[in-house]
């Protein structure tokens, strides 16, 4: 008999596909949260593989802050078409207009935190009982506390001290009315694993993941792109530098890194040498020591 050798990427893929199929089996109306970032791209790609040749049974749900990079929005629409998926969009601007949230003011204002209310409203509107997210345990200490099946109460809140055990790959999706689950199939992937998997599968990516010239300002030790949503203050100099983005989010809080990595092999080499996680380039995570955990407890991704 042939002796098949499974790589660690094969094992991670099999684990993620198992979680995706378990989600489809246990829940009535799940959805896949899609930001247009590399992790949600990999998760959607895995979902297509998990149920091929049938169509992916999850709609893609994008919470649109209204402050996205144009490249991300263009890619989102192209990728949704490639997967023949259904796209549901929740709008932060609509939440602001409805008075559900109040927009932040000041030079460091961001809509990133406002996404929580829009996400919970979107979950309630469509009655999703589970939402698949692209969170990984290596990203940030709050995300390291997540289970594969992460319970949320009827207010959409997360209690990290009251999670269910997951022994022998047994996942407990039981819940009361009004509660839901967040599911994290990529929990055991690392940033390097994501990039290696993207390379292996030849998955297309948004162009801003690769080095390109862009006008930026330096603020609080970070390089932020000059956009219609983020303008320089009088003391901040605008420079044109060759940069790329390690993570994609709201343009007002997603920092760039100086880089010459113009293709996926060069990105992998750069990630291997990096001593900072990709979340280190997000200004919203720097607001406090527990910024991410506080947002997750309130219902954030």
């Amino acid at each position: 008999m042939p002796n098949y050798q499974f790589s660690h990427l094969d094992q991670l893929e099999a684990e993620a596909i198992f979680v995706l199929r378990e989600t489809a089996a246990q829940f009535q109306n799940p959805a896949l949260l899609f930001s247009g970032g590399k992790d949600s791209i990999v998760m959607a790609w895995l979902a297509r593989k998990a149920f091929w040749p049938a169509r992916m049974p999850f709609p893609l749900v994008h919470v649109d802050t209204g402050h996205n990079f144009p490249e991300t929005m263009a890619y989102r629409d192209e990728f949704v078409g490639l997967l023949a998926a259904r796209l549901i969009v929740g709008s932060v601007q609509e939440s602001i207009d409805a008075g559900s949230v109040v927009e932040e003011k000041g030079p460091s204002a961001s809509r990133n935190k406002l996404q929580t209310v829009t996400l919970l409203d979107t979950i309630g509107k469509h009655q999703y009982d589970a939402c698949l997210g692209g969170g990984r345990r290596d990203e940030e200490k709050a995300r390291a506390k997540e289970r594969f099946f992460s319970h949320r109460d009827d207010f959409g809140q997360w209690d990290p001290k009251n999670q269910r055990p997951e022994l022998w790959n047994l996942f407990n999706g039981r819940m009361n009315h009004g509660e839901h689950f967040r599911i994290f199939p990529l929990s055991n992937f690392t940033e390097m694993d994501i990039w290696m998997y993207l390379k292996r599968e030849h998955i297309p990516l948004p162009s801003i993941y690769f080095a390109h010239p862009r006008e930026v300002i330096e603020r609080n030790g970070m390089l932020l792109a000059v956009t219609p949503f983020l303008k320089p203050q009088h003391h901040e100099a605008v420079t044109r530098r060759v940069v790329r983005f390690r993570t994609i989010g709201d343009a007002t809080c997603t920092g760039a890194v100086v880089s010459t990595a113009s293709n996926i092999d060069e990105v992998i080499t750069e990630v291997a040498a990096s001593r900072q996680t990709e979340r280190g380039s997000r200004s919203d995570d720097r607001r406090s020591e527990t910024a991410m955990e506080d947002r997750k407890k309130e219902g954030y991704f």
Side-chain angles (χ1 to χ4, degrees):
M1 295 181 64
N3 181 23
Y4 293 108
Q5 296 292 323
F6 287 92
S7 71
H8 80 286
L9 289 180
D10 293 323
Q11 294 170 349
L12 290 169
E13 179 187 69
E15 179 181 66
I17 286 176
F18 175 79
V19 173
L20 286 159
R21 290 173 175 166
E22 192 71 12
T23 301
Q26 289 202 38
F27 298 97
Q28 297 296 316
N29 189 28
L32 190 151
L33 303 179
F34 186 78
S35 67
K38 63 185 183 304
D39 300 313
S40 61
I41 292 168
V42 166
M43 184 170 57
W45 189 268
L46 284 163
R48 185 174 76 157
K49 293 186 75 170
F51 301 99
W52 183 266
R55 289 184 65 180
M56 182 169 50
F58 318 118
L60 302 187
V61 175
H62 179 220
V63 178
D64 181 6
T65 67
H67 289 174
N68 296 290
F69 292 102
E71 297 94 329
T72 304
M73 300 301 285
Y75 174 88
R76 181 198 71 180
D77 295 338
E78 291 176 6
F79 193 68
V80 168
L82 174 66
L83 298 186
R86 184 162 60 98
L87 177 66
I88 303 295
V89 178
S91 169
V92 172
Q93 184 61 56
E94 290 181 6
S95 297
I96 294 170
D97 294 341
S100 302
V101 294
V102 178
E103 188 153 24
E104 295 180 0
K105 305 296 182 184
S108 298
S110 171
R111 289 186 173 182
N112 205 50
K113 186 176 181 180
L114 307 187
Q115 293 180 87
T116 298
V117 171
T118 305
L119 173 61
L120 294 176
D121 287 347
T122 303
I123 290 171
K125 176 181 178 180
H126 296 278
Q127 298 185 337
Y128 297 129
D129 53 1
C131 289
L132 292 149
R136 309 185 325 265
R137 291 180 178 134
D138 77 316
E139 286 182 273
E140 198 272 340
K141 57 188 177 183
R143 292 188 172 181
K145 298 178 182 180
E146 290 279 18
R147 301 285 198 269
F148 281 104
F149 276 35
S150 184
H151 176 262
R152 297 298 197 269
D153 65 19
D154 52 356
F155 292 101
Q157 297 173 325
W158 172 63
D159 182 359
K161 296 181 179 179
N162 189 27
Q163 295 192 81
R164 300 170 183 180
E166 293 179 343
L167 305 175
W168 306 293
N169 289 331
L170 297 175
F171 304 125
N172 182 356
R174 294 181 181 178
M175 59 188 169
N176 297 317
H177 179 72
E179 300 174 345
H180 71 278
F181 275 78
R182 305 288 172 85
I183 316 294
F184 299 100
L186 307 183
S187 290
N188 289 330
F189 278 73
T190 65
E191 183 185 9
M192 178 63 80
D193 293 329
I194 291 292
W195 280 106
M196 292 175 66
Y197 190 79
L198 288 163
K199 177 184 177 181
R200 190 184 82 170
E201 298 290 305
H202 305 288
I203 303 173
L205 284 167
S207 60
I208 62 175
Y209 272 122
F210 303 104
H212 60 283
R214 185 178 289 265
E215 289 188 340
V216 297
I217 59 171
E218 184 170 350
R219 181 178 295 174
N220 299 323
M222 298 178 57
L223 293 178
L224 297 173
V226 177
T227 67
F229 329 115
L230 188 144
K231 299 183 185 295
Q233 297 177 268
H234 68 277
H235 63 279
E236 293 175 327
V238 177
T239 59
R240 190 167 181 83
R241 306 183 70 172
V242 177
V243 300
R244 73 176 191 88
F245 293 87
R246 291 179 66 184
T247 180
I248 295 178
D250 189 293
T252 61
C253 63
T254 304
V257 295
V258 175
S259 173
T260 59
S262 59
N263 59 58
I264 198 163
D265 289 312
E266 292 175 351
V267 169
I268 288 172
T269 299
E270 186 176 274
V271 170
S274 176
R275 293 296 177 266
Q276 183 184 53
T277 69
E278 70 236 69
R279 295 295 306 190
S281 61
R282 293 289 291 270
S283 64
D284 51 320
D285 288 350
R286 299 185 179 188
R287 293 192 172 191
S288 74
E289 282 292 318
T290 60
M292 173 62 80
E293 184 161 331
D294 292 342
R295 293 201 305 279
K296 287 177 71 65
K297 288 178 179 178
E298 294 169 358
Y300 187 72
F301 301 118

PDB file of all heavy atoms in Angstrom, residues 32-58:
ATOM      1  N   LEU A  32     -20.563  32.912   7.925  1.00  0.00           N
ATOM      2  CA  LEU A  32     -19.105  33.042   7.940  1.00  0.00           C
ATOM      3  C   LEU A  32     -18.748  34.522   7.886  1.00  0.00           C
ATOM      4  O   LEU A  32     -19.096  35.208   6.915  1.00  0.00           O
ATOM      5  CB  LEU A  32     -18.508  32.277   6.759  1.00  0.00           C
ATOM      6  CG  LEU A  32     -16.995  32.082   6.716  1.00  0.00           C
ATOM      7  CD1 LEU A  32     -16.650  30.795   5.961  1.00  0.00           C
ATOM      8  CD2 LEU A  32     -16.293  33.267   6.046  1.00  0.00           C
ATOM      9  N   LEU A  33     -18.091  35.010   8.935  1.00  0.00           N
ATOM     10  CA  LEU A  33     -17.708  36.414   9.000  1.00  0.00           C
ATOM     11  C   LEU A  33     -16.528  36.652   8.062  1.00  0.00           C
ATOM     12  O   LEU A  33     -15.493  36.001   8.177  1.00  0.00           O
ATOM     13  CB  LEU A  33     -17.344  36.807  10.431  1.00  0.00           C
ATOM     14  CG  LEU A  33     -18.435  36.577  11.483  1.00  0.00           C
ATOM     15  CD1 LEU A  33     -17.946  36.977  12.867  1.00  0.00           C
ATOM     16  CD2 LEU A  33     -19.695  37.358  11.134  1.00  0.00           C
ATOM     17  N   PHE A  34     -16.682  37.619   7.159  1.00  0.00           N
ATOM     18  CA  PHE A  34     -15.682  37.829   6.114  1.00  0.00           C
ATOM     19  C   PHE A  34     -15.261  39.290   6.080  1.00  0.00           C
ATOM     20  O   PHE A  34     -16.067  40.180   5.791  1.00  0.00           O
ATOM     21  CB  PHE A  34     -16.254  37.430   4.750  1.00  0.00           C
ATOM     22  CG  PHE A  34     -15.255  37.474   3.635  1.00  0.00           C
ATOM     23  CD1 PHE A  34     -14.342  36.454   3.480  1.00  0.00           C
ATOM     24  CD2 PHE A  34     -15.226  38.537   2.748  1.00  0.00           C
ATOM     25  CE1 PHE A  34     -13.407  36.490   2.452  1.00  0.00           C
ATOM     26  CE2 PHE A  34     -14.304  38.583   1.724  1.00  0.00           C
ATOM     27  CZ  PHE A  34     -13.387  37.558   1.572  1.00  0.00           C
ATOM     28  N   SER A  35     -13.987  39.540   6.379  1.00  0.00           N
ATOM     29  CA  SER A  35     -13.462  40.902   6.400  1.00  0.00           C
ATOM     30  C   SER A  35     -12.723  41.274   5.131  1.00  0.00           C
ATOM     31  O   SER A  35     -12.437  42.449   4.892  1.00  0.00           O
ATOM     32  CB  SER A  35     -12.506  41.067   7.587  1.00  0.00           C
ATOM     33  OG  SER A  35     -11.342  40.277   7.402  1.00  0.00           O
ATOM     34  N   GLY A  36     -12.364  40.272   4.321  1.00  0.00           N
ATOM     35  CA  GLY A  36     -11.484  40.505   3.189  1.00  0.00           C
ATOM     36  C   GLY A  36     -10.030  40.365   3.544  1.00  0.00           C
ATOM     37  O   GLY A  36      -9.160  40.557   2.696  1.00  0.00           O
ATOM     38  N   GLY A  37      -9.742  40.017   4.816  1.00  0.00           N
ATOM     39  CA  GLY A  37      -8.379  39.763   5.260  1.00  0.00           C
ATOM     40  C   GLY A  37      -7.985  38.319   5.012  1.00  0.00           C
ATOM     41  O   GLY A  37      -8.824  37.454   4.732  1.00  0.00           O
ATOM     42  N   LYS A  38      -6.697  38.027   5.144  1.00  0.00           N
ATOM     43  CA  LYS A  38      -6.164  36.732   4.749  1.00  0.00           C
ATOM     44  C   LYS A  38      -6.767  35.573   5.528  1.00  0.00           C
ATOM     45  O   LYS A  38      -6.958  34.475   4.972  1.00  0.00           O
ATOM     46  CB  LYS A  38      -4.633  36.721   4.880  1.00  0.00           C
ATOM     47  CG  LYS A  38      -4.122  36.914   6.305  1.00  0.00           C
ATOM     48  CD  LYS A  38      -2.613  37.026   6.328  1.00  0.00           C
ATOM     49  CE  LYS A  38      -2.084  37.149   7.751  1.00  0.00           C
ATOM     50  NZ  LYS A  38      -2.666  38.280   8.500  1.00  0.00           N
ATOM     51  N   ASP A  39      -7.081  35.767   6.815  1.00  0.00           N
ATOM     52  CA  ASP A  39      -7.622  34.668   7.612  1.00  0.00           C
ATOM     53  C   ASP A  39      -9.040  34.317   7.174  1.00  0.00           C
ATOM     54  O   ASP A  39      -9.376  33.138   7.029  1.00  0.00           O
ATOM     55  CB  ASP A  39      -7.590  35.034   9.102  1.00  0.00           C
ATOM     56  CG  ASP A  39      -6.180  35.321   9.585  1.00  0.00           C
ATOM     57  OD1 ASP A  39      -5.278  34.535   9.271  1.00  0.00           O
ATOM     58  OD2 ASP A  39      -5.973  36.348  10.258  1.00  0.00           O
ATOM     59  N   SER A  40      -9.869  35.321   6.967  1.00  0.00           N
ATOM     60  CA  SER A  40     -11.228  35.026   6.505  1.00  0.00           C
ATOM     61  C   SER A  40     -11.214  34.490   5.074  1.00  0.00           C
ATOM     62  O   SER A  40     -12.086  33.694   4.703  1.00  0.00           O
ATOM     63  CB  SER A  40     -12.126  36.265   6.613  1.00  0.00           C
ATOM     64  OG  SER A  40     -11.655  37.324   5.813  1.00  0.00           O
ATOM     65  N   ILE A  41     -10.229  34.882   4.287  1.00  0.00           N
ATOM     66  CA  ILE A  41     -10.085  34.341   2.934  1.00  0.00           C
ATOM     67  C   ILE A  41      -9.790  32.841   3.004  1.00  0.00           C
ATOM     68  O   ILE A  41     -10.422  32.033   2.310  1.00  0.00           O
ATOM     69  CB  ILE A  41      -8.978  35.079   2.163  1.00  0.00           C
ATOM     70  CG1 ILE A  41      -9.396  36.522   1.872  1.00  0.00           C
ATOM     71  CG2 ILE A  41      -8.625  34.347   0.870  1.00  0.00           C
ATOM     72  CD1 ILE A  41      -8.259  37.404   1.386  1.00  0.00           C
ATOM     73  N   VAL A  42      -8.827  32.469   3.860  1.00  0.00           N
ATOM     74  CA  VAL A  42      -8.491  31.047   4.016  1.00  0.00           C
ATOM     75  C   VAL A  42      -9.686  30.269   4.548  1.00  0.00           C
ATOM     76  O   VAL A  42      -9.982  29.157   4.092  1.00  0.00           O
ATOM     77  CB  VAL A  42      -7.261  30.883   4.934  1.00  0.00           C
ATOM     78  CG1 VAL A  42      -7.101  29.426   5.376  1.00  0.00           C
ATOM     79  CG2 VAL A  42      -5.997  31.352   4.226  1.00  0.00           C
ATOM     80  N   MET A  43     -10.405  30.837   5.516  1.00  0.00           N
ATOM     81  CA  MET A  43     -11.553  30.141   6.087  1.00  0.00           C
ATOM     82  C   MET A  43     -12.633  29.912   5.027  1.00  0.00           C
ATOM     83  O   MET A  43     -13.217  28.818   4.945  1.00  0.00           O
ATOM     84  CB  MET A  43     -12.115  30.949   7.258  1.00  0.00           C
ATOM     85  CG  MET A  43     -13.249  30.251   7.985  1.00  0.00           C
ATOM     86  SD  MET A  43     -13.691  31.077   9.515  1.00  0.00           S
ATOM     87  CE  MET A  43     -14.091  32.728   8.917  1.00  0.00           C
ATOM     88  N   ALA A  44     -12.913  30.911   4.201  1.00  0.00           N
ATOM     89  CA  ALA A  44     -13.908  30.746   3.142  1.00  0.00           C
ATOM     90  C   ALA A  44     -13.442  29.717   2.115  1.00  0.00           C
ATOM     91  O   ALA A  44     -14.246  28.925   1.599  1.00  0.00           O
ATOM     92  CB  ALA A  44     -14.180  32.095   2.480  1.00  0.00           C
ATOM     93  N   TRP A  45     -12.145  29.727   1.811  1.00  0.00           N
ATOM     94  CA  TRP A  45     -11.590  28.757   0.868  1.00  0.00           C
ATOM     95  C   TRP A  45     -11.754  27.335   1.412  1.00  0.00           C
ATOM     96  O   TRP A  45     -12.147  26.404   0.676  1.00  0.00           O
ATOM     97  CB  TRP A  45     -10.120  29.071   0.639  1.00  0.00           C
ATOM     98  CG  TRP A  45      -9.456  28.307  -0.467  1.00  0.00           C
ATOM     99  CD1 TRP A  45      -8.781  27.124  -0.370  1.00  0.00           C
ATOM    100  CD2 TRP A  45      -9.387  28.678  -1.852  1.00  0.00           C
ATOM    101  NE1 TRP A  45      -8.292  26.742  -1.588  1.00  0.00           N
ATOM    102  CE2 TRP A  45      -8.654  27.683  -2.522  1.00  0.00           C
ATOM    103  CE3 TRP A  45      -9.872  29.769  -2.573  1.00  0.00           C
ATOM    104  CZ2 TRP A  45      -8.391  27.726  -3.884  1.00  0.00           C
ATOM    105  CZ3 TRP A  45      -9.619  29.828  -3.935  1.00  0.00           C
ATOM    106  CH2 TRP A  45      -8.884  28.822  -4.580  1.00  0.00           C
ATOM    107  N   LEU A  46     -11.469  27.163   2.695  1.00  0.00           N
ATOM    108  CA  LEU A  46     -11.623  25.854   3.337  1.00  0.00           C
ATOM    109  C   LEU A  46     -13.083  25.422   3.358  1.00  0.00           C
ATOM    110  O   LEU A  46     -13.394  24.235   3.184  1.00  0.00           O
ATOM    111  CB  LEU A  46     -11.070  25.905   4.760  1.00  0.00           C
ATOM    112  CG  LEU A  46      -9.549  25.893   4.886  1.00  0.00           C
ATOM    113  CD1 LEU A  46      -9.119  26.363   6.274  1.00  0.00           C
ATOM    114  CD2 LEU A  46      -9.000  24.492   4.609  1.00  0.00           C
ATOM    115  N   ALA A  47     -13.990  26.383   3.563  1.00  0.00           N
ATOM    116  CA  ALA A  47     -15.416  26.054   3.567  1.00  0.00           C
ATOM    117  C   ALA A  47     -15.847  25.549   2.196  1.00  0.00           C
ATOM    118  O   ALA A  47     -16.651  24.614   2.080  1.00  0.00           O
ATOM    119  CB  ALA A  47     -16.229  27.277   3.975  1.00  0.00           C
ATOM    120  N   ARG A  48     -15.322  26.158   1.135  1.00  0.00           N
ATOM    121  CA  ARG A  48     -15.657  25.675  -0.205  1.00  0.00           C
ATOM    122  C   ARG A  48     -15.153  24.250  -0.398  1.00  0.00           C
ATOM    123  O   ARG A  48     -15.867  23.392  -0.945  1.00  0.00           O
ATOM    124  CB  ARG A  48     -15.054  26.596  -1.276  1.00  0.00           C
ATOM    125  CG  ARG A  48     -15.486  26.190  -2.681  1.00  0.00           C
ATOM    126  CD  ARG A  48     -15.033  27.159  -3.738  1.00  0.00           C
ATOM    127  NE  ARG A  48     -13.617  27.040  -4.061  1.00  0.00           N
ATOM    128  CZ  ARG A  48     -13.070  27.434  -5.219  1.00  0.00           C
ATOM    129  NH1 ARG A  48     -13.840  28.003  -6.141  1.00  0.00           N
ATOM    130  NH2 ARG A  48     -11.789  27.311  -5.442  1.00  0.00           N
ATOM    131  N   LYS A  49     -13.917  23.970   0.073  1.00  0.00           N
ATOM    132  CA  LYS A  49     -13.372  22.625  -0.062  1.00  0.00           C
ATOM    133  C   LYS A  49     -14.147  21.617   0.785  1.00  0.00           C
ATOM    134  O   LYS A  49     -14.325  20.459   0.389  1.00  0.00           O
ATOM    135  CB  LYS A  49     -11.887  22.610   0.358  1.00  0.00           C
ATOM    136  CG  LYS A  49     -10.976  23.392  -0.548  1.00  0.00           C
ATOM    137  CD  LYS A  49      -9.518  23.231  -0.163  1.00  0.00           C
ATOM    138  CE  LYS A  49      -8.952  21.894  -0.570  1.00  0.00           C
ATOM    139  NZ  LYS A  49      -7.482  21.826  -0.400  1.00  0.00           N
ATOM    140  N   ALA A  50     -14.611  22.053   1.959  1.00  0.00           N
ATOM    141  CA  ALA A  50     -15.282  21.149   2.894  1.00  0.00           C
ATOM    142  C   ALA A  50     -16.583  20.592   2.333  1.00  0.00           C
ATOM    143  O   ALA A  50     -16.978  19.465   2.678  1.00  0.00           O
ATOM    144  CB  ALA A  50     -15.550  21.876   4.206  1.00  0.00           C
ATOM    145  N   PHE A  51     -17.254  21.373   1.479  1.00  0.00           N
ATOM    146  CA  PHE A  51     -18.577  20.962   1.010  1.00  0.00           C
ATOM    147  C   PHE A  51     -18.644  20.754  -0.511  1.00  0.00           C
ATOM    148  O   PHE A  51     -19.713  20.533  -1.045  1.00  0.00           O
ATOM    149  CB  PHE A  51     -19.617  22.000   1.453  1.00  0.00           C
ATOM    150  CG  PHE A  51     -19.671  22.162   2.939  1.00  0.00           C
ATOM    151  CD1 PHE A  51     -19.013  23.224   3.556  1.00  0.00           C
ATOM    152  CD2 PHE A  51     -20.338  21.237   3.732  1.00  0.00           C
ATOM    153  CE1 PHE A  51     -19.038  23.365   4.934  1.00  0.00           C
ATOM    154  CE2 PHE A  51     -20.364  21.374   5.106  1.00  0.00           C
ATOM    155  CZ  PHE A  51     -19.718  22.435   5.718  1.00  0.00           C
ATOM    156  N   TRP A  52     -17.493  20.823  -1.168  1.00  0.00           N
ATOM    157  CA  TRP A  52     -17.443  20.618  -2.620  1.00  0.00           C
ATOM    158  C   TRP A  52     -17.914  19.205  -2.973  1.00  0.00           C
ATOM    159  O   TRP A  52     -17.617  18.262  -2.242  1.00  0.00           O
ATOM    160  CB  TRP A  52     -15.994  20.831  -3.081  1.00  0.00           C
ATOM    161  CG  TRP A  52     -15.823  20.729  -4.555  1.00  0.00           C
ATOM    162  CD1 TRP A  52     -15.458  19.618  -5.273  1.00  0.00           C
ATOM    163  CD2 TRP A  52     -16.022  21.783  -5.504  1.00  0.00           C
ATOM    164  NE1 TRP A  52     -15.412  19.913  -6.603  1.00  0.00           N
ATOM    165  CE2 TRP A  52     -15.766  21.234  -6.776  1.00  0.00           C
ATOM    166  CE3 TRP A  52     -16.409  23.113  -5.412  1.00  0.00           C
ATOM    167  CZ2 TRP A  52     -15.869  21.976  -7.944  1.00  0.00           C
ATOM    168  CZ3 TRP A  52     -16.511  23.849  -6.565  1.00  0.00           C
ATOM    169  CH2 TRP A  52     -16.243  23.280  -7.816  1.00  0.00           C
ATOM    170  N   PRO A  53     -18.696  19.012  -4.033  1.00  0.00           N
ATOM    171  CA  PRO A  53     -19.079  19.973  -5.078  1.00  0.00           C
ATOM    172  C   PRO A  53     -20.354  20.763  -4.766  1.00  0.00           C
ATOM    173  O   PRO A  53     -20.801  21.541  -5.608  1.00  0.00           O
ATOM    174  CB  PRO A  53     -19.283  19.076  -6.296  1.00  0.00           C
ATOM    175  CG  PRO A  53     -19.811  17.808  -5.720  1.00  0.00           C
ATOM    176  CD  PRO A  53     -19.084  17.634  -4.411  1.00  0.00           C
ATOM    177  N   ALA A  54     -20.943  20.540  -3.598  1.00  0.00           N
ATOM    178  CA  ALA A  54     -22.091  21.364  -3.221  1.00  0.00           C
ATOM    179  C   ALA A  54     -21.634  22.791  -2.950  1.00  0.00           C
ATOM    180  O   ALA A  54     -20.445  23.047  -2.701  1.00  0.00           O
ATOM    181  CB  ALA A  54     -22.770  20.789  -1.982  1.00  0.00           C
ATOM    182  N   ARG A  55     -22.560  23.724  -2.965  1.00  0.00           N
ATOM    183  CA  ARG A  55     -22.220  25.109  -2.651  1.00  0.00           C
ATOM    184  C   ARG A  55     -21.967  25.250  -1.154  1.00  0.00           C
ATOM    185  O   ARG A  55     -22.518  24.504  -0.334  1.00  0.00           O
ATOM    186  CB  ARG A  55     -23.355  26.048  -3.065  1.00  0.00           C
ATOM    187  CG  ARG A  55     -23.499  26.199  -4.570  1.00  0.00           C
ATOM    188  CD  ARG A  55     -24.566  27.207  -4.924  1.00  0.00           C
ATOM    189  NE  ARG A  55     -24.199  28.556  -4.474  1.00  0.00           N
ATOM    190  CZ  ARG A  55     -24.977  29.620  -4.658  1.00  0.00           C
ATOM    191  NH1 ARG A  55     -26.157  29.487  -5.253  1.00  0.00           N
ATOM    192  NH2 ARG A  55     -24.586  30.809  -4.244  1.00  0.00           N
ATOM    193  N   MET A  56     -21.132  26.181  -0.807  1.00  0.00           N
ATOM    194  CA  MET A  56     -20.855  26.474   0.587  1.00  0.00           C
ATOM    195  C   MET A  56     -22.171  26.821   1.300  1.00  0.00           C
ATOM    196  O   MET A  56     -22.915  27.683   0.841  1.00  0.00           O
ATOM    197  CB  MET A  56     -19.866  27.642   0.669  1.00  0.00           C
ATOM    198  CG  MET A  56     -19.451  28.025   2.057  1.00  0.00           C
ATOM    199  SD  MET A  56     -18.054  29.180   2.049  1.00  0.00           S
ATOM    200  CE  MET A  56     -18.619  30.422   0.895  1.00  0.00           C
ATOM    201  N   PRO A  57     -22.485  26.167   2.432  1.00  0.00           N
ATOM    202  CA  PRO A  57     -23.781  26.381   3.083  1.00  0.00           C
ATOM    203  C   PRO A  57     -23.860  27.617   3.959  1.00  0.00           C
ATOM    204  O   PRO A  57     -24.874  27.822   4.633  1.00  0.00           O
ATOM    205  CB  PRO A  57     -23.942  25.106   3.920  1.00  0.00           C
ATOM    206  CG  PRO A  57     -22.542  24.712   4.275  1.00  0.00           C
ATOM    207  CD  PRO A  57     -21.706  25.088   3.075  1.00  0.00           C
ATOM    208  N   PHE A  58     -22.808  28.427   3.985  1.00  0.00           N
ATOM    209  CA  PHE A  58     -22.795  29.617   4.827  1.00  0.00           C
ATOM    210  C   PHE A  58     -22.802  30.882   3.965  1.00  0.00           C
ATOM    211  O   PHE A  58     -22.011  30.973   3.018  1.00  0.00           O
ATOM    212  CB  PHE A  58     -21.533  29.681   5.707  1.00  0.00           C
ATOM    213  CG  PHE A  58     -21.140  28.380   6.330  1.00  0.00           C
ATOM    214  CD1 PHE A  58     -19.920  27.795   6.025  1.00  0.00           C
ATOM    215  CD2 PHE A  58     -21.972  27.742   7.231  1.00  0.00           C
ATOM    216  CE1 PHE A  58     -19.534  26.602   6.598  1.00  0.00           C
ATOM    217  CE2 PHE A  58     -21.599  26.544   7.822  1.00  0.00           C
ATOM    218  CZ  PHE A  58     -20.383  25.969   7.501  1.00  0.00           C
TER     219      PHE A  58
END
